[in-house]
């Protein structure tokens, strides 16, 4: 099947989706005709939310954008992108350290599927320090989240932290 380079897939863990991700989505959606947020599984990251929950949260916050949708996937990202008929994988870059790992990953992906191009957007200054890895411990300690998370995601994360703490 020929791939369509006007369709992009923004892949990631999105545990949970935050304003840094949303910034990439809102900028990406004007570049591409269609943008699919591909929510993947990364067992190494021990996610706070299940794949289904993460997809549901993305769905909630991208609802205002008619050309953006959310889907979960298992396995290799390039295989998922091809399965959708998309020719572009969209990624965000926060720091130079992101650049190193993203560079090798994009080369590996290009090697596996030379028809799929990875396109990078630089994080906006105000969001370049925002990551799921930092937000989860802030939530664990009751820190402020509203600057980084849209309201339904903030509520879901606070609820999840309470559940986790009551199970300990
Ligand atoms: P994390 O769990 O670290 O937030 P994800 O795996 O969910 O990261 O990230 C998915 C994609 O979004 C990656 O390309 C990542 O570099 C990018 N990204 C993550 N956070 C931001 C941010 N604050 N600004 C721009 N891009 C981001």
């Amino acid at each position: 099947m020929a791939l369509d380079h006007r369709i992009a897939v923004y892949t990631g863990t999105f545990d949970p989706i935050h304003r840094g991700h949303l910034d990439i989505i809102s900028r990406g959606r004007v570049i591409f005709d269609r943008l699919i947020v591909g929510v993947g599984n990364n067992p190494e990251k021990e996610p706070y939310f299940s794949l289904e929950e993460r997809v549901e949260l993305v769905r909630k916050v991208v609802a205002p954008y008619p050309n953006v949708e959310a889907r979960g996937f298992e396995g290799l990202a390039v295989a998922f992108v091809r399965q959708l008929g998309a020719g572009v994988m969209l990624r965000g870059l926060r720091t130079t350290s992101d650049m190193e790992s993203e560079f090798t990953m994009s080369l590996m992906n290009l090697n596996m599927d030379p028809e799929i191009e990875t396109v990078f957007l630089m994080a906006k200054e105000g969001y370049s320090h925002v990551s799921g890895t930092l937000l989860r411990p802030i939530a664990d300690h009751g820190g402020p989240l509203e600057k980084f998370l849209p309201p339904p995601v903030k509520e879901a994360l606070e609820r999840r932290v309470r559940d986790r703490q009551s199970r300990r």
Side-chain angles (χ1 to χ4, degrees):
M1 183 174 61
L3 301 181
D4 189 339
H5 288 84
R6 291 163 305 182
I7 308 176
V9 185
Y10 179 32
T11 54
T13 321
F14 304 102
D15 185 42
I17 183 161
H18 52 64
R19 292 196 197 277
H21 294 133
L22 270 173
D23 172 54
I24 300 293
I25 292 169
S26 65
R27 289 155 64 200
R29 77 183 191 93
V30 298
I31 301 173
F32 300 99
D33 289 352
R34 201 174 145 214
L35 180 61
I36 298 146
V37 182
V39 183
N41 251 341
N42 185 347
E44 279 167 33
K45 282 194 178 172
E46 288 186 38
Y48 270 33
F49 293 96
S50 70
L51 184 63
E52 292 70 26
E53 289 169 329
R54 284 179 275 134
V55 171
E56 210 33 61
L57 286 172
V58 176
R59 247 179 223 143
K60 256 191 204 158
V61 295
V62 302
Y65 305 139
N67 64 336
V68 183
E69 63 196 271
R71 305 243 190 134
F73 74 95
E74 308 263 356
L76 285 179
V78 273
F80 173 65
V81 175
R82 173 164 285 279
Q83 197 191 316
L84 293 168
V88 175
M89 192 183 294
L90 179 66
R91 302 281 294 172
L93 285 178
R94 283 164 290 198
T95 54
T96 44
S97 57
D98 259 2
M99 212 168 296
E100 210 172 304
S101 56
E102 292 286 341
F103 181 65
T104 27
M105 191 152 62
S106 71
L107 280 182
M108 186 49 89
N109 285 336
L110 195 62
N111 208 285
M112 287 191 282
D113 196 329
E115 270 188 90
I116 298 174
E117 290 290 352
T118 304
V119 170
F120 295 101
L121 287 178
M122 302 296 294
K124 267 215 187 115
E125 234 180 335
Y127 296 126
S128 61
H129 59 294
V130 181
S131 72
T133 314
L134 281 180
L135 290 180
R136 291 185 294 270
I138 293 177
D140 280 341
H141 296 101
L145 294 169
E146 46 285 329
K147 260 201 202 158
F148 314 116
L149 297 176
V153 182
K154 175 182 171 280
E155 283 151 30
L157 182 57
E158 284 170 345
R159 227 176 301 127
R160 178 53 40 95
V161 163
R162 278 198 300 273
D163 290 350
R164 287 167 65 92
Q165 288 173 347
S166 68
R167 265 189 271 122
R168 269 192 215 137

Coordinates of all heavy atoms in Angstrom, one line a residue, residues 10-15 18 20-21 24 45 91-94 98 102 123 127-128 130-133 136, ligand 1:
Y10 N 1.6 10.7 15.7 CA 2.4 11.2 16.8 C 2.4 10.1 17.9 O 1.5 9.8 18.6 CB 1.8 12.4 17.4 CG 2.4 13.1 18.6 CD1 3.8 13.0 18.8 CD2 1.7 13.8 19.5 CE1 4.4 13.6 19.8 CE2 2.3 14.4 20.6 CZ 3.7 14.3 20.8 OH 4.3 14.9 21.8
T11 N 3.6 9.4 18.0 CA 3.7 8.2 18.8 C 4.3 8.6 20.2 O 5.2 9.5 20.3 CB 4.5 7.1 18.2 OG1 5.8 7.7 17.8 CG2 3.9 6.5 17.0
G12 N 3.9 7.9 21.2 CA 4.5 8.1 22.5 C 3.8 7.3 23.6 O 2.9 6.5 23.2
T13 N 4.2 7.4 24.8 CA 3.5 6.7 25.9 C 2.3 7.5 26.5 O 1.3 6.9 26.9 CB 4.6 6.5 27.1 OG1 5.9 6.2 26.5 CG2 4.2 5.3 27.9
F14 N 2.5 8.8 26.6 CA 1.4 9.6 27.0 C 0.8 9.2 28.4 O -0.4 8.9 28.5 CB 0.3 9.7 25.9 CG 0.8 10.2 24.6 CD1 1.0 9.3 23.6 CD2 1.1 11.5 24.4 CE1 1.5 9.7 22.3 CE2 1.6 12.0 23.2 CZ 1.8 11.1 22.1
D15 N 1.7 9.1 29.4 CA 1.3 8.6 30.7 C 1.4 9.7 31.8 O 2.3 9.7 32.6 CB 2.2 7.4 31.0 CG 1.8 6.8 32.4 OD1 0.6 6.6 32.6 OD2 2.6 6.4 33.2
H18 N 0.1 15.5 28.5 CA 0.3 16.8 29.2 C 0.3 18.0 28.1 O 0.3 17.7 26.9 CB 1.5 16.8 30.1 CG 2.8 16.4 29.4 ND1 3.4 17.1 28.3 CD2 3.6 15.3 29.6 CE1 4.5 16.5 28.0 NE2 4.6 15.4 28.7
G20 N 2.7 19.8 27.1 CA 3.8 19.8 26.1 C 3.4 18.9 24.9 O 3.6 19.3 23.8
H21 N 2.8 17.8 25.2 CA 2.3 16.9 24.1 C 1.2 17.7 23.3 O 1.2 17.7 22.1 CB 1.6 15.7 24.6 CG 2.5 14.7 25.3 ND1 2.2 14.2 26.6 CD2 3.7 14.2 25.0 CE1 3.1 13.3 26.9 NE2 4.0 13.3 26.0
I24 N 2.5 20.1 20.8 CA 3.0 19.4 19.5 C 1.7 19.1 18.7 O 1.7 19.2 17.4 CB 3.8 18.2 19.9 CG1 5.0 18.5 20.7 CG2 4.2 17.4 18.6 CD1 6.1 19.4 20.0
K45 N 8.6 1.7 31.5 CA 8.2 2.9 32.2 C 7.2 2.7 33.3 O 6.8 3.7 34.0 CB 7.6 3.9 31.1 CG 8.7 4.6 30.3 CD 8.1 5.8 29.6 CE 9.1 6.6 28.8 NZ 8.5 7.6 27.9
R91 N 7.3 13.6 16.1 CA 7.9 13.5 17.5 C 8.2 14.9 18.0 O 8.4 15.8 17.2 CB 9.2 12.7 17.5 CG 9.1 11.3 17.0 CD 8.5 10.3 18.0 NE 9.4 10.1 19.1 CZ 9.0 9.4 20.2 NH1 7.8 8.9 20.3 NH2 9.8 9.2 21.2
G92 N 8.3 15.1 19.3 CA 8.6 16.4 19.8 C 10.0 16.3 20.4 O 10.4 15.2 20.9
L93 N 10.8 17.4 20.4 CA 12.1 17.4 20.9 C 12.1 18.4 22.0 O 11.8 19.6 21.8 CB 13.1 17.8 19.9 CG 13.5 16.8 18.8 CD1 14.5 17.4 17.9 CD2 14.2 15.5 19.5
R94 N 12.5 18.0 23.2 CA 12.6 19.0 24.3 C 14.0 19.5 24.5 O 14.1 20.7 24.7 CB 12.2 18.3 25.6 CG 10.7 18.1 25.8 CD 10.4 17.1 26.8 NE 10.8 15.7 26.4 CZ 10.3 14.6 27.0 NH1 9.5 14.7 28.0 NH2 10.7 13.5 26.5
D98 N 17.2 14.7 24.5 CA 16.2 14.1 23.7 C 16.7 13.8 22.3 O 16.4 12.8 21.7 CB 15.0 15.0 23.5 CG 13.8 14.7 24.4 OD1 14.0 13.8 25.3 OD2 12.8 15.4 24.4
E102 N 16.4 10.4 20.2 CA 15.5 10.5 19.1 C 16.2 10.3 17.7 O 15.6 9.8 16.8 CB 14.7 11.9 19.1 CG 13.8 12.1 20.2 CD 12.5 11.3 20.1 OE1 12.1 10.9 19.0 OE2 11.8 11.1 21.2
A123 N 10.0 21.6 21.1 CA 9.1 22.0 22.2 C 9.1 23.5 22.4 O 10.2 24.1 22.2 CB 9.5 21.3 23.5
Y127 N 7.4 24.7 27.7 CA 7.0 23.3 27.9 C 8.2 22.4 27.8 O 8.1 21.2 28.0 CB 6.0 22.8 26.9 CG 4.7 23.5 27.0 CD1 4.1 24.1 25.9 CD2 4.0 23.6 28.3 CE1 2.9 24.8 26.1 CE2 2.8 24.2 28.4 CZ 2.2 24.8 27.3 OH 1.0 25.4 27.4
S128 N 9.4 22.9 27.6 CA 10.5 22.1 27.3 C 11.0 21.3 28.5 O 11.7 20.3 28.4 CB 11.7 22.9 26.7 OG 12.1 23.8 27.6
V130 N 8.7 19.9 30.6 CA 7.6 19.1 31.0 C 7.7 17.7 30.5 O 7.8 17.5 29.3 CB 6.2 19.7 30.6 CG1 5.1 18.9 31.1 CG2 6.1 21.2 31.0
S131 N 7.7 16.7 31.4 CA 7.7 15.3 31.0 C 6.8 14.5 32.0 O 6.7 14.9 33.1 CB 9.1 14.8 31.0 OG 9.5 14.6 32.3
G132 N 6.3 13.4 31.5 CA 5.5 12.5 32.3 C 6.4 12.0 33.5 O 5.9 12.0 34.6
T133 N 7.6 11.8 33.2 CA 8.6 11.3 34.3 C 8.7 12.3 35.4 O 8.8 11.9 36.6 CB 10.0 11.1 33.6 OG1 9.8 10.4 32.4 CG2 10.9 10.3 34.5
R136 N 4.7 12.8 37.3 CA 4.1 11.7 38.1 C 4.6 11.9 39.6 O 3.8 11.9 40.5 CB 4.5 10.3 37.6 CG 3.7 10.0 36.3 CD 3.9 8.6 35.8 NE 5.2 8.4 35.4 CZ 5.7 8.6 34.1 NH1 4.9 9.0 33.2 NH2 6.9 8.3 33.8
Ligands
LIG1 P1 7.1 11.5 28.2 O1 6.6 10.3 28.9 O2 8.6 11.7 28.5 O3 6.3 12.8 28.4 P2 6.3 10.4 25.7 O4 6.9 9.0 25.4 O5 4.9 10.4 26.1 O6 7.2 11.2 26.7 O7 6.5 11.4 24.5 C1 6.0 11.3 23.2 C2 6.7 12.3 22.3 O8 6.3 13.6 22.7 C3 8.2 12.2 22.2 O9 8.6 12.6 20.9 C4 8.6 13.3 23.2 O10 9.9 13.8 22.9 C5 7.5 14.3 23.0 N1 7.4 15.2 24.1 C6 7.2 14.8 25.4 N2 7.1 15.9 26.2 C7 7.2 17.0 25.4 C8 7.2 18.4 25.6 N3 7.1 18.9 26.9 N4 7.2 19.2 24.6 C9 7.4 18.7 23.3 N5 7.4 17.4 23.0 C10 7.3 16.5 24.1

